[in-house]
Amino acid sequence: MEDPFVITISREFASLGRTIAQTLSDKLGIEFWDRDIVEAAAKRTGHSVSLVSDEEERAKSSFFLRKNYRMSLTTYNISDEIFETEKNIILDAASKGSCIIVGRCGDYILRDFPNRLSVYIYAPYEARLKNCIETLMMDEKTARRMIREVDMARTYYQRKYCPEVRSPRDSSDLMIDSSRFGVEGTADVIVQALRLLPERNC
C-alpha cells in the first residue's frame, strides 16, 4: 500500500490474537504494537513499566469490577491517566505510518482514521480451552478460570473507556473465527480484507 494504513485487532482470550498480529506484522512488513504501548506509556508518564502494567491490569481485572467502590480516587486517576497516555500513543503510531494495534480499545480510538481495518478475532470456547492447555501450557482448571476472568475484564475495560461500543459488531469491519482458519490462514484472510478497502492497493 502506498498510503499508511492501520489494522486494529480486538480478541477473545486464547483466540491467538496476538500471535496472529505478529504473523500479520511479518507478512506485511509493518510494526505491531502491544506490550510496546506499556513501555511507551511508562516513558511518557514517568511511571515504572511495572506500575503502568499493574494499573492497566487493575483497570481490567475482575476484582476491580467487583470492588471498584473501595478503590481510592488516586487509583482511578492513575488508571485514567494511563489510558489517556496509551490513547495518544496509539494515535501517534497510526499517524506516523502503517501499523497494527492490539487491544486497548484501538478500534474505538482510531474509529475516524480513514485507512483502518478493525478486526475482531474469536473462537469457540473449546478451541480456546485447547489453546490455553496446548499453547499457553495451562492446566485445565487454570485455563477455564483465565478464560472467564480475562473475558470479563476486557468487557469491563471496553465499557469503561468506550461505552458507545456495546458489542464487537459495533466497531469491527471483520469478525473471524481463528479456529476455522488457523494462525496463518486468519492472517491471510485479514490481508485479503485489507486489499478490499476502498482505494487500497496492496
Side-chain angles (χ1 to χ4, degrees):
M1 286 187 175
E2 296 181 358
D3 296 330
F5 63 91
V6 61
I7 300 171
T8 66
I9 294 184
S10 302
R11 73 280 188 223
E12 287 185 323
F13 179 70
S15 63
L16 302 181
R18 188 180 192 280
T19 304
I20 292 165
Q22 177 67 73
T23 303
L24 270 174
S25 174
D26 295 339
K27 285 179 179 291
L28 295 170
I30 62 174
E31 191 172 17
F32 91 100
W33 289 75
D34 187 8
R35 295 297 298 174
D36 314 81
I37 297 173
V38 173
E39 295 174 5
K43 185 175 181 180
R44 289 195 185 188
T45 61
H47 299 311
S48 67
V49 171
S50 61
L51 186 147
V52 172
S53 182
D54 288 348
E55 287 299 328
E56 186 184 66
E57 290 307 311
R58 189 192 304 274
K60 293 189 287 188
S61 71
S62 56
F63 175 83
F64 184 83
L65 178 61
R66 294 192 302 268
K67 303 293 186 180
N68 54 28
Y69 60 91
R70 295 184 180 178
M71 300 187 71
S72 69
L73 181 60
T74 301
T75 301
Y76 281 128
N77 287 342
I78 292 175
S79 296
D80 292 345
E81 175 194 5
I82 289 170
F83 175 79
E84 288 299 318
T85 302
E86 292 184 341
K87 179 176 75 173
N88 289 330
I89 290 166
I90 289 169
L91 289 168
D92 288 348
S95 69
K96 290 176 181 176
S98 299
C99 62
I100 299 163
I101 305 293
V102 180
R104 297 172 179 83
C105 298
D107 51 352
Y108 179 75
I109 291 168
L110 296 173
R111 62 194 181 280
D112 295 324
F113 192 83
N115 300 320
R116 169 192 50 77
L117 178 68
S118 293
V119 181
Y120 182 75
I121 297 172
Y122 67 96
Y125 182 87
E126 291 303 322
R128 295 196 287 148
L129 183 63
K130 182 179 180 181
N131 288 338
C132 284
I133 295 170
E134 296 184 0
T135 303
L136 302 178
M137 307 303 293
M138 297 179 185
D139 62 79
E140 183 174 342
K141 181 178 180 181
T142 299
R144 291 184 183 278
R145 176 178 58 79
M146 289 295 293
I147 290 172
R148 181 180 67 253
E149 292 186 356
V150 176
D151 280 352
M152 182 188 299
R154 287 177 178 171
T155 296
Y156 175 74
Y157 187 82
Q158 177 181 287
R159 288 178 181 173
K160 177 176 172 63
Y161 290 116
C162 42
E164 294 91 341
V165 179
R166 305 304 301 172
S167 78
R169 288 177 294 182
D170 294 337
S171 59
S172 301
D173 302 307
L174 175 67
M175 300 174 68
I176 184 166
D177 178 352
S178 59
S179 71
R180 293 289 303 276
F181 301 96
V183 170
E184 286 285 337
T186 300
D188 286 340
V189 170
I190 295 170
V191 170
Q192 290 300 317
L194 188 64
R195 290 173 175 163
L196 295 174
L197 286 178
E199 300 179 2
R200 299 288 84 212
N201 292 301
C202 288

